[in-house]
Amino acid sequence: MLTRYKFLLTVTRNNYFLRQLSLESPNVFAKPESRCRTVEDNPLNHNLEHEGRFYVVPPAVCNQLFRFGGIPKGYEVQAKTFDETCLMIRKPALEVINMMKVADYSRPIVKYVLFGERGAGKSLTLAHILHYALNSGHLIIHVPWVPDWMKKCKDHTRSETREGFRDTPLDSAAWLAHFKTQNQHLLSQTDLTVTSNYTWSKREETRSGSPLVELVDLGINRIKYASNIIVALASEVKALSSSGRCKTLVAIDGFNCFYNKRTMIKDENWKIVPPFQLTVTEAFINLVNYNWTNGSVVLTADRLVWSGNERGESDLPLYQLGKEAFELLDPFIPVHVPCYSEKEFHSCMDYYMERSWIQNENGNTEEGRSELMYLSTMNPYQLMKICGPL
Amino acid sequence: MAHFPKYMTTVLCIPRYQKQLPYVMTSVYSQIARSEKQTEEFRVLELVKKSAQRSARRKAKKIELLPPRTNVMPVDQDWSSVWPGPRSFHPASVPLPLRQGYNKKGVSPGKFANAELMKIPNFLHLTPPAIKKHCEALKKFCTPWPEELNDENCEKHFPVEVITSDYCFSSPDIREPMARIVILKVKLSALTLDKHAKDKLLRLVGERYDPSTDILTLTTDRCPLKKQNYEYALYLLTALYHESQKTEPWESEKTVADMEYYDWEQNVSYKNVLGTLNWPQSVKDTENFKLTPEMEEYKKAISDLMNKGEDLYTISKYKEATKKLLNLPEFLPLEYTTA
């Protein structure tokens, strides 16, 4: 993993991957309209008519949005096998997108919390919303999976500026690269500038009025400051949005992990560092506070962030978030991501048949399908797992 | 005597057998007679007596029984005079084809000679016409119920209901321990209680209060006599009432964390909502803020969510209320989220 990150950082430094990706290029990968598939690949136009059908996320978009995560591992492997990243248009995503379309952006941010059982498609719903945000010109602040920072932390040091806090330089720099990739088309605009002065060291400082991309690049190049730069970036983005210079979507997968009691990180005295003592936590908690405008926040509350059987009784948001996080987010809009409906199940099976994924001759019979329905309990992840060896 | 066989003489001579002499004599005589008859023929040795010769079995004496009374009962008879008081079951008096008990090989045994039917208590003396008759007989000792005292007035003027039980039975001791129990019921709305007093009273009485009927029930059984228990129940009610009116000095120290239920106005959520709705101004006077209908609905939704517990229904109510609060449209029908 470390080598992958090193590679990433090298690549970032060389600005190698920042080639311009044309978003408007015609989608040559589009397959014809069918029962399980729609050619409409712009989430701005998705509505209930397309509900339950798959659309292809254009490879350029996929490369921009999900290069450093955002699509769950298993689904990514399947997408690679199918040679296309298809997302099903489902009601929870449509609901959030619709509300994002009509929300009053002069008012404080609206918070949406996706909840549902494991494998129901919270992360992919988030991916769909991200695609919408990209096409509607939002600045995207996306955390692919918060527990990665808490459980698989690459490196951590004591914060020099904050007493008792810990920085996570490598992860922070990697995230800044992720942020830069996702927003490359917006960051090149000149009106996104830093609004206050930051002094990082004697020689390094960011003056107000300098482009935002400079701040991000500094974080990527000088990973020592990456964590603090994320905190600065969060408040900058809030200020920029509030002043109307950009529209922002904050999407955090596994948000409730910030409210875990412990992480896998231990300090010099071998004491466990709780998430609230990480510098990055402060930045993202600051972002979901209601005191800014022109933005939306989409979070997921997932039981997978806890270790073992902790909080394993329910998937409902109050239980998963806990009282503290609930009070921070309140009032928010809980959005239930349920398992497949019968229509969605058959659409998924049609898609598998179309990709010749199911070779078993009984896979497409009515009996076979009802057996799969029973075995998977209509859970999308379970269905994917069961259909894998068929 | 000359014909007597020799051995017989010997027997006769033994004094021990003298009491049995008459039997011995008969037996001897019969043998003599037989020997005289069989002078021409040989005697037959009868090892087993022929059945005809056996003495006839004693016939059971047939008891003369009258036919059951039920055969002659007219259908329009006065049953209460047939069965005037409590009594064990009697098959001949009850004109019903009753059966009781278990028979492994066939139907249950009938009513005649059926101990099972006699064991169980019966209420044949308490038929509705019999009770009616009793009441008619007692009527002349009663006064009519005051017409003005309908249910509503009864509740208003006599809010306290006391329930006791008397027991009537035959036993050497006429005292029944269960008779001491007194149940006192009172509607809470009949008491003058403010918000604090009601809250305190409810906490003092615990599960004795039923919120669905608004009735507080006190059951006293610790004293040996009914009267003592009754007085104790009245004392309890008085003590509860006055205790709940008191405000102790430490009650003001109660914080949000000490609350037993979720009070929205005291929580962060209230400040969040006010802050969000009045943004960018900040609300100073949160005490006297006038709630809009949307906020009222939101308050109900979040209080239900916190107090009743979280399920898909309360969450969907919360979602609906939040949408209205933030002025967002209803996109999908509600049943979608609850499904």
Side-chain angles (χ1 to χ4, degrees):
Chain A
M1 280 306 266
L2 197 64
T3 45
R4 187 187 145 193
Y5 273 80
K6 273 182 184 161
F7 164 74
L8 177 150
L9 289 169
T10 338
V11 166
T12 323
R13 281 202 196 112
N14 295 338
N15 277 351
Y16 179 69
F17 68 96
L18 282 183
R19 61 184 187 278
Q20 275 298 312
L21 294 165
S22 142
L23 294 175
E24 281 76 34
S25 63
N27 188 3
V28 290
F29 297 90
K31 302 271 186 321
E33 187 98 13
S34 73
R35 197 161 59 145
C36 66
R37 191 188 272 281
T38 173
V39 287
E40 183 58 69
D41 64 350
N42 188 353
L44 284 167
N45 304 331
H46 286 160
N47 56 37
L48 276 177
E49 275 173 36
H50 307 112
E51 196 258 314
R53 290 200 265 176
F54 284 87
Y55 81 99
V56 183
V57 183
V61 172
C62 221
N63 205 17
Q64 184 183 350
L65 280 180
F66 310 119
R67 175 187 283 202
F68 302 121
I71 289 187
K73 192 79 188 162
Y75 200 79
E76 209 179 354
V77 170
Q78 187 187 269
K80 201 178 168 191
T81 315
F82 291 166
D83 202 21
E84 61 178 13
T85 307
C86 267
L87 291 180
M88 189 191 274
I89 301 163
R90 297 185 67 197
K91 272 180 180 170
L94 287 177
E95 194 180 359
V96 174
I97 288 170
N98 190 57
M99 282 191 277
M100 279 173 70
K101 276 180 189 166
V102 296
D104 183 359
Y105 282 91
S106 63
R107 305 292 313 151
I109 51 160
V110 183
K111 288 161 264 188
Y112 310 91
V113 174
L114 305 177
F115 70 98
E117 69 177 70
R118 46 200 287 188
K122 295 180 288 297
S123 298
L124 287 173
T125 301
L126 201 66
H128 189 185
I129 295 166
L130 279 175
H131 189 190
Y132 161 77
L134 181 78
N135 283 14
S136 59
H138 280 73
L139 184 77
I140 296 167
I141 294 193
H142 172 225
V143 182
W145 186 233
V146 178
D148 281 350
W149 291 341
M150 315 289 178
K151 290 180 181 170
K152 301 177 193 167
C153 182
K154 305 291 169 308
D155 184 23
H156 51 93
T157 55
R158 200 173 59 206
S159 174
E160 285 172 10
T161 48
R162 286 179 175 77
E163 183 64 37
F165 276 76
R166 292 200 76 80
D167 287 345
T168 46
L170 268 171
D171 290 300
S172 302
W175 183 80
L176 282 171
H178 176 61
F179 173 78
K180 194 175 170 181
T181 324
Q182 288 191 323
N183 299 295
Q184 50 186 278
H185 58 294
L186 286 176
L187 289 175
S188 54
Q189 288 171 19
T190 47
D191 62 338
L192 290 182
T193 51
V194 181
T195 52
S196 42
N197 291 324
Y198 298 95
T199 309
W200 308 110
S201 68
K202 272 181 189 171
R203 288 179 204 140
E204 287 152 315
E205 58 178 358
T206 311
R207 294 232 156 253
S208 88
S210 56
L212 195 65
V213 70
E214 218 177 277
L215 185 71
V216 179
D217 278 337
L218 179 73
I220 296 168
N221 294 322
R222 296 282 290 126
I223 61 167
K224 189 182 173 190
Y225 309 126
S227 293
N228 281 339
I229 281 174
I230 291 181
V231 177
L233 183 70
S235 54
E236 284 305 322
V237 166
K238 275 171 83 167
L240 285 172
S241 296
S242 297
S243 63
R245 279 194 266 177
C246 66
K247 225 181 189 182
T248 308
L249 170 78
V250 178
I252 304 175
D253 202 352
F255 176 77
N256 46 345
C257 194
F258 285 129
Y259 284 86
N260 203 338
K261 282 198 186 68
R262 54 187 179 273
T263 59
M264 299 294 271
I265 304 168
K266 284 176 184 164
D267 64 7
E268 296 89 345
N269 305 323
W270 294 97
K271 277 180 89 178
I272 289 173
V273 180
F276 67 83
Q277 282 185 355
L278 293 179
T279 316
V280 281
T281 307
E282 194 191 314
F284 292 103
I285 292 205
N286 185 20
L287 272 171
V288 299
N289 208 331
Y290 67 85
N291 56 9
W292 56 294
T293 57
N294 217 359
S296 309
V297 172
V298 185
L299 312 170
T300 66
D302 202 316
R303 75 159 68 172
L304 285 174
V305 307
W306 312 107
S307 48
N309 278 336
E310 201 184 343
R311 299 214 201 175
E313 283 165 28
S314 156
D315 290 303
L316 296 170
L318 175 58
Y319 180 73
Q320 284 302 330
L321 289 168
K323 197 164 188 293
E324 206 183 334
F326 188 89
E327 280 177 348
L328 173 79
L329 296 174
D330 183 73
F332 66 87
I333 294 169
V335 180
H336 184 205
V337 183
C339 288
Y340 279 151
S341 65
E342 211 151 297
K343 182 184 169 191
E344 287 168 335
F345 172 81
H346 286 297
S347 169
C348 182
M349 289 306 293
D350 287 343
Y351 178 66
Y352 283 158
M353 293 315 294
E354 189 210 84
R355 306 308 297 169
S356 310
W357 185 235
I358 296 174
Q359 291 295 312
N360 191 316
E361 64 270 21
N362 295 323
N364 206 24
T365 58
E366 198 180 322
E367 204 182 338
R369 281 197 179 191
S370 63
E371 192 173 332
L372 284 172
M373 202 186 275
Y374 173 76
L375 283 174
S376 66
T377 62
M378 313 273 259
N379 182 308
Y381 176 70
Q382 290 299 332
L383 183 68
M384 183 177 84
K385 240 171 75 174
I386 291 167
C387 288
L390 288 182
Chain B
M1 284 299 266
H3 298 287
F4 272 20
K6 206 167 191 177
Y7 66 90
M8 267 299 163
T9 329
T10 328
V11 170
L12 279 174
C13 296
I14 298 167
R16 208 161 50 145
Y17 286 99
Q18 274 180 3
K19 272 189 185 168
Q20 296 177 345
L21 193 62
Y23 166 74
V24 176
M25 294 291 278
T26 8
S27 152
V28 169
Y29 280 126
S30 66
Q31 280 206 1
I32 295 164
R34 221 174 284 150
S35 62
E36 278 174 356
K37 214 166 96 187
Q38 291 166 355
T39 41
E40 304 100 59
E41 289 174 51
F42 289 106
R43 281 181 294 157
V44 180
L45 175 66
E46 288 175 24
L47 286 175
V48 181
K49 272 190 181 176
K50 276 177 189 163
S51 58
Q53 283 175 325
R54 276 192 197 155
S55 58
R57 190 169 284 180
R58 194 166 63 92
K59 268 190 182 169
K61 198 179 171 189
K62 202 178 181 187
I63 303 163
E64 289 283 317
L65 269 183
L66 286 171
R69 218 163 132 201
T70 51
N71 292 358
V72 291
M73 278 181 180
V75 283
D76 55 346
Q77 68 176 341
D78 177 22
W79 173 249
S80 54
S81 37
V82 177
W83 200 280
R87 190 194 165 193
S88 322
F89 182 79
H90 194 283
S93 306
V94 182
L96 301 170
L98 299 175
R99 293 183 168 276
Q100 170 80 30
Y102 175 64
N103 182 6
K104 208 192 273 181
K105 289 176 182 168
V107 293
S108 308
K111 64 178 176 176
F112 288 99
N114 190 334
E116 294 299 320
L117 270 172
M118 290 160 78
K119 275 191 242 170
I120 52 168
N122 66 63
F123 293 94
L124 291 166
H125 61 295
L126 289 177
T127 53
I131 292 170
K132 212 170 182 182
K133 252 179 159 179
H134 278 230
C135 293
E136 283 298 322
L138 288 171
K139 230 176 193 175
K140 57 175 178 268
F141 302 111
C142 302
T143 53
W145 184 263
E147 267 180 34
E148 296 79 23
L149 204 59
N150 50 17
D151 281 358
E152 196 183 315
N153 278 337
C154 225
E155 243 172 51
K156 192 180 156 197
H157 297 292
F158 304 100
V160 178
E161 187 186 351
V162 179
I163 302 167
T164 57
S165 307
D166 292 309
Y167 293 83
C168 199
F169 57 95
S170 64
S171 100
D173 182 13
I174 59 162
R175 278 157 196 83
E176 162 63 50
M178 299 282 275
R180 79 189 189 288
I181 299 169
V182 175
I183 299 165
L184 186 144
K185 286 185 174 183
V186 62
K187 259 204 166 166
L188 219 58
S189 53
L191 305 173
T192 0
L193 297 165
D194 60 359
K195 198 181 170 190
H196 164 262
K198 189 176 177 184
D199 180 49
K200 197 166 173 182
L201 183 86
L202 291 188
R203 251 179 267 170
L204 286 170
V205 298
E207 61 187 8
R208 293 174 188 86
Y209 173 68
D210 181 5
S212 61
T213 52
D214 191 39
I215 286 177
L216 166 66
T217 311
L218 297 173
T219 308
T220 47
D221 60 354
R222 57 173 60 183
C223 305
L225 294 183
K226 185 185 283 177
K227 183 165 180 288
Q228 293 169 331
N229 276 319
Y230 170 69
E231 281 167 0
Y232 179 57
L234 288 185
Y235 159 74
L236 273 183
L237 184 64
T238 318
L240 274 172
Y241 181 74
H242 288 287
E243 199 58 42
S244 57
Q245 301 286 2
K246 281 185 205 162
T247 308
E248 302 289 343
W250 44 261
E251 281 181 40
S252 59
E253 291 166 19
K254 195 173 169 188
T255 59
V256 178
D258 298 325
M259 288 297 288
E260 303 77 9
Y261 59 91
Y262 186 83
D263 190 9
W264 186 56
E265 270 95 342
Q266 289 184 18
N267 272 278
V268 186
S269 171
Y270 180 59
K271 282 175 199 152
N272 278 353
V273 168
L274 287 190
T276 312
L277 294 183
N278 294 293
W279 201 85
Q281 284 93 36
S282 58
V283 180
K284 296 265 160 47
D285 187 20
T286 53
E287 292 280 313
N288 304 316
F289 194 84
K290 182 89 176 66
L291 295 187
T292 58
E294 287 84 25
M295 288 171 82
E296 286 287 355
E297 194 187 331
Y298 177 81
K299 177 187 173 179
K300 193 178 173 300
I302 193 164
S303 305
D304 278 357
L305 176 67
M306 292 295 189
N307 290 329
K308 290 182 184 169
E310 188 184 29
D311 51 34
L312 278 178
Y313 178 74
T314 47
I315 281 288
S316 71
K317 282 280 166 203
Y318 171 77
K319 179 182 182 182
E320 208 184 343
T322 318
K323 274 185 178 178
K324 278 186 189 160
L325 191 78
L326 302 177
N327 209 6
L328 286 166
E330 194 61 46
F331 166 61
L332 293 162
L334 192 66
E335 59 263 29
Y336 160 66
T337 42
T338 49

